[in-house]
Amino acid sequence: MTETVLISLLAMSVRMAVPYWFSSLGEMYSQKSGVLNIGLEGVITVGAFVSFMVAFYSGSCWLGLAAAVAACVVLGLIYGLLVIYLGMDQPITGIALNLLILGSTSFLYRLVFGTTAIAPTSSSTFDKVAIPLLSKIPWLGEILFHQYAFVYLAVVLLIFSVYFFRRTKAGIVIIACGENPSAAETRGVGVNRVRLLCVMVSAAFSAVAGTYLSLAQLSSFSVDMVAGRGYIAFALVIFGKWNAENICIGALLFGFLEALALTLQASASVVPYQFLLMLPYAFTVLALIVTTFKRRSARPSCLGVRYRTSR
Amino acid sequence: MKNYRRRYKIIEQDHCTLAKRIVVLAALLLICLGLHSLIMLTMTDKPFEAYATLAKSAFSNTYQIVQTLLRSLPIMLVGLGVSLCLRAGILNLGGNGCVVAGAIGACIIGLNYEALPAAVAVPLTVIAAMVFGGLWSAVAGFLRAKFRISEIYVTVMLNYVMTYFASFLLTNVWKSQLNLDYSDQIFTNSHWPALLSGTDLHLGFVFLVLAFLVVVFINRSPMGYEIRAHGLNSSAFRFKMKDHDSMRIVMFVMIFSGALAGLAGASQVCGHQYRFSSDVNNDFGFTGIIAAKLGGLNPVAIVVASLFLGMMESGSTAMQLLTGVPDSMVDVLQGMLLVAAILADRVARFSIVKNEGGEET
């Protein structure tokens, strides 16, 4: 009995970790290049909204995913142009975009569907995929190898990111843009172009996270469904010290917390459920405090600082 | 094209004149309104008529004017408080949490102490609200001042924590017999008295005037100078002054804005709702930031901007009834206004000047 509960809890943790995993991995690309993308919350919302809308009307979740990625890349482009080339203050611009997006998506959603008691659901959603042999392994099979395709994609992206930043020239160029942009420019790197590209990549990652929320975890969209995950994903990058493996461990941790809260909420417990739902948010603050006690900061030294090209 | 490039160039300055900023802001607001009316065209044939309905119904009679004022009061309080934070370079997003914290503080007094005379109960609600709001904001302020943890995430996270805590209070502690969503009514001794008999204009407006004067005073005092210096370049500030001066500034602006936000929460509870519910906070934390940014951090302009935002909220219901435009379109406009305000701050610093020859770029 407890065994099945534990297995389902762990499997749920993996599922809950996916949005954090994608969006904080993406945010890492943007921050390594020196741009804070606080609009993450808004980008995830757009991803969830667009993918749901497209899937609802076309009946294909893959088309929804593609549309979400396209919409979010455009959004990343706009944000990037504003903060990189126009030099607007990065945090407040991100917040402004978040507000604009939250207002607009709720407006558009109500415009299309009206205020209905039952949320409309998309007929086409992503299903769980069992990997043939591995999913037969007793414990692990259920937890790791009988999941949404997004989970496998997440692992692939993690391995790619680690390899990308450690072993490829492009990765080093991105790090250089965040650490010392003028040195990068003397080597002939178009710093602002690299940064813009990285912001767009991070937006694309968050689009996948949003699609996962609306088309895999649920099959509907609600305005506050992202519920601060964008900000938590942002904090995870700091918590993980701009290091892909640590970030993903953090994402799993937060997925576990969320799954724990939901599991305990379902079984009537002594603790009121609101305190369980608080867990991820309160824990984020704790994680940020713990991170400051580490001696050496891995923060890119020109993070959030605009680079004025001399060309 | 190349010829023009040689003759003119775009330069960027650190400062811009007030007049230029206003002109740029007005132009951007017009563009926003144009874009927004295009969106409105999807729902109504006459967008400008809908705007007119909105403005007219917000000021149509005494009752509506009072409603508009009541809706702008929390926005003004939060906006005034957060303007000091923004001046100090602190992006305090914790307004929502502090509003709820202040409302909880006022409710604790209002729901528990029936025997107190009104002359004691009313000041107590104010003090409790300001202390609760200030303390809740001080958490993020302390983490920022002591450990340099960015206040942005901490305040957002604390907002969620406070929202769930309020929901816990509503379902477990202050559960009323009739309805799950509301607490019981607070006792009449802690109702804030009306300023004009027959209207809902309550004591909160006196506090607004006081808060306004305090903010103006701070802006003109040496403290205000330090706050501005901290906002312009905090590392230079820490170099010139001492590290604990930076901490003092951060703590002060955070606690001050939190206390004002708490007051806004109390004005909702003791001023006209008289009970605790999730309606206490209508996203005032973010609307306050919009007001502060739209007003360019100037206290007078913040009050005007808040009135404008309050007008949109109170008029939107009538507009939905009369023209069929959903009231959530106001949310879209609010987001646009913030984008326009910060864009104006930036764009006003660019200017096109004639190339005086010599250097070719």
Side-chain angles (χ1 to χ4, degrees):
Chain A
M1 181 59 201
T2 45
E3 200 172 295
T4 51
V5 171
L6 196 63
I7 289 181
S8 77
L9 174 68
L10 288 177
M12 197 176 178
S13 316
V14 174
R15 288 203 292 279
M16 288 300 188
V18 171
Y20 297 124
W21 189 302
F22 275 104
S23 48
S24 46
L25 259 189
E27 177 68 21
M28 190 188 68
Y29 280 79
S30 162
Q31 292 204 8
K32 283 250 188 200
S33 79
V35 183
L36 291 162
N37 187 359
I38 296 194
L40 221 51
E41 179 91 3
V43 178
I44 300 177
T45 313
V46 166
F49 178 72
V50 170
S51 62
F52 172 72
M53 281 306 197
V54 171
F56 185 82
Y57 283 110
S58 71
S60 156
C61 50
W62 290 102
L63 208 60
L65 179 63
V69 169
C72 288
V73 165
V74 171
L75 195 65
L77 180 69
I78 294 171
Y79 175 78
L81 288 177
L82 286 180
V83 301
I84 295 168
Y85 288 100
L86 208 54
M88 283 167 72
D89 188 36
Q90 292 175 4
I92 187 110
T93 311
I95 301 296
L97 278 185
N98 279 351
L99 279 182
L100 180 62
I101 287 163
L102 287 179
S104 317
T105 44
S106 77
F107 169 73
L108 286 174
Y109 185 76
R110 273 175 64 182
L111 186 68
V112 175
F113 294 111
T115 41
T116 49
I118 308 153
T121 53
S122 161
S123 54
S124 157
T125 51
F126 292 96
D127 291 321
K128 286 178 191 158
V129 184
I131 292 183
L133 279 171
L134 292 171
S135 60
K136 298 287 187 294
I137 305 173
W139 276 58
L140 282 175
E142 186 64 28
I143 297 171
L144 291 178
F145 301 112
H146 190 222
Q147 292 284 11
Y148 297 108
F150 287 95
V151 176
Y152 314 130
L153 178 64
V155 176
V156 171
L157 278 179
L158 168 65
I159 295 168
F160 171 75
S161 300
V162 172
Y163 175 77
F164 182 71
F165 282 112
R166 298 253 166 88
R167 287 279 180 274
T168 64
K169 193 176 172 196
I172 303 297
V173 165
I174 289 178
I175 293 173
C177 288
E179 295 287 353
N180 195 340
S182 42
E185 190 165 55
T186 36
R187 294 285 296 177
V189 177
V191 172
N192 285 340
R193 260 179 238 169
V194 171
R195 287 185 167 182
L196 186 61
L197 198 67
C198 285
V199 171
M200 284 155 74
V201 167
S202 91
F205 275 57
S206 291
V208 179
T211 310
Y212 175 81
L213 280 176
S214 68
L215 288 183
Q217 236 172 25
L218 302 165
S219 53
S220 60
F221 174 82
S222 69
V223 177
D224 46 2
M225 75 189 305
V226 182
R229 283 191 178 87
Y231 294 103
I232 294 183
F234 199 102
L236 272 175
V237 179
I238 302 169
F239 182 53
K241 295 199 291 177
W242 290 269
N243 182 328
E245 308 99 284
N246 293 350
I247 287 172
C248 293
I249 292 170
L252 284 173
L253 189 68
F254 273 82
F256 175 72
L257 275 178
E258 220 174 293
L260 190 70
L262 287 174
T263 312
L264 287 180
Q265 193 187 342
S267 64
S269 68
V270 218
V271 189
Y273 72 92
Q274 286 97 344
F275 286 97
L276 297 170
L277 292 178
M278 259 181 220
L279 267 180
Y281 307 112
F283 205 80
T284 308
V285 177
L286 275 183
L288 285 172
I289 295 173
V290 168
T291 316
T292 52
F293 289 118
K294 305 240 173 75
R295 223 172 293 151
R296 217 161 54 85
S297 170
R299 183 186 157 93
S301 49
C302 287
L303 183 58
V305 182
R306 178 184 170 213
Y307 182 66
R308 291 184 198 197
T309 176
S310 55
R311 281 189 284 195
Chain B
M1 191 63 208
K2 209 175 177 188
N3 208 6
Y4 279 111
R5 267 203 175 174
R6 232 175 251 167
R7 227 180 286 160
Y8 296 97
K9 63 179 177 183
I10 297 172
I11 60 161
E12 194 188 332
Q13 293 151 329
D14 284 342
H15 290 286
C16 63
T17 55
L18 183 64
K20 191 177 175 193
R21 187 184 177 275
I22 291 175
V23 169
V24 173
L25 182 60
L28 280 171
L29 287 182
L30 272 182
I31 295 173
C32 266
L33 206 65
L35 279 177
H36 193 259
S37 55
L38 281 183
I39 301 174
M40 296 266 281
L41 274 179
T42 58
M43 291 159 302
T44 170
D45 293 333
K46 297 162 188 154
F48 290 102
E49 215 157 273
Y51 290 130
T53 315
L54 188 149
K56 237 185 275 168
S57 52
F59 295 106
S60 53
N61 51 34
T62 330
Y63 175 77
Q64 277 298 338
I65 293 173
V66 170
Q67 283 303 311
T68 304
L69 283 175
L70 282 178
R71 293 211 187 210
S72 15
L73 174 70
I75 304 176
M76 288 178 193
L77 284 170
V78 175
L80 283 174
V82 93
S83 74
L84 282 190
C85 283
L86 292 172
R87 265 188 205 279
I90 305 280
L91 186 50
N92 179 6
L93 302 175
N96 283 337
C98 295
V99 169
V100 177
I104 290 173
C107 264
I108 288 176
I109 304 292
L111 286 170
N112 292 330
Y113 300 100
E114 195 181 3
L116 289 177
V120 181
V122 169
L124 265 184
T125 58
V126 174
I127 292 168
M130 289 183 75
V131 166
F132 272 55
L135 281 181
W136 191 244
S137 188
V139 176
F142 176 75
L143 292 179
R144 163 68 207 242
K146 183 80 184 159
F147 303 121
R148 307 253 177 88
I149 301 174
S150 170
E151 69 286 352
I152 300 170
Y153 334 113
V154 177
T155 48
V156 171
M157 292 303 123
L158 290 183
N159 281 347
Y160 282 104
V161 171
M162 188 43 89
T163 310
Y164 283 121
F165 184 67
S167 137
F168 159 74
L169 283 178
L170 274 177
T171 52
N172 292 39
V173 183
W174 291 339
K175 191 154 61 172
S176 68
Q177 284 85 16
L178 301 170
N179 199 328
L180 264 179
D181 297 339
Y182 297 110
S183 76
D184 290 325
Q185 295 250 328
I186 58 171
F187 296 120
T188 43
N189 63 345
S190 47
H191 287 195
W192 285 2
L195 295 179
L196 290 170
S197 54
T199 64
D200 283 341
L201 276 185
H202 55 72
L203 195 63
F205 289 92
V206 175
F207 297 126
L208 171 70
V209 174
L210 286 178
F212 178 80
L213 291 177
V214 168
V215 170
V216 171
F217 175 74
I218 288 175
N219 279 342
R220 283 158 193 273
S221 67
M223 183 87 168
Y225 172 75
E226 285 177 5
I227 289 174
R228 277 198 299 280
H230 189 271
L232 287 173
N233 192 341
S234 68
S235 44
F237 181 87
R238 274 200 298 276
F239 181 72
K240 181 81 178 78
M241 311 288 282
K242 296 217 166 51
D243 223 15
H244 66 251
D245 281 319
S246 163
M247 281 167 67
R248 181 171 54 91
I249 293 287
V250 173
M251 285 304 280
F252 173 76
V253 292
M254 287 299 280
I255 292 177
F256 184 81
S257 68
L260 281 193
L263 198 58
S267 80
Q268 289 287 93
V269 169
C270 304
H272 64 123
Q273 293 187 349
Y274 302 131
R275 61 187 170 190
F276 189 76
S277 69
S278 54
D279 294 338
V280 158
N281 182 23
N282 184 16
D283 216 3
F284 293 126
F286 286 113
T287 325
I289 290 176
I290 299 176
K293 270 288 172 190
L294 208 55
L297 306 187
N298 176 328
V300 182
I302 291 172
V303 171
V304 175
S306 311
L307 267 178
F308 180 60
L309 292 166
M311 177 201 88
M312 289 202 306
E313 281 184 15
S314 75
S316 61
T317 322
M319 184 189 68
Q320 183 168 15
L321 286 174
L322 293 176
T323 62
V325 179
D327 56 0
S328 57
M329 73 99 212
V330 168
D331 297 338
V332 183
L333 192 53
Q334 281 183 354
M336 282 183 164
L337 288 180
L338 182 57
V339 174
I342 56 179
L343 202 59
D345 278 349
R346 196 67 221 164
V347 172
R349 291 191 184 173
F350 290 99
S351 49
I352 300 170
V353 293
K354 213 164 188 180
N355 218 344
E356 293 296 330
E359 187 186 18
E360 242 183 55
T361 45

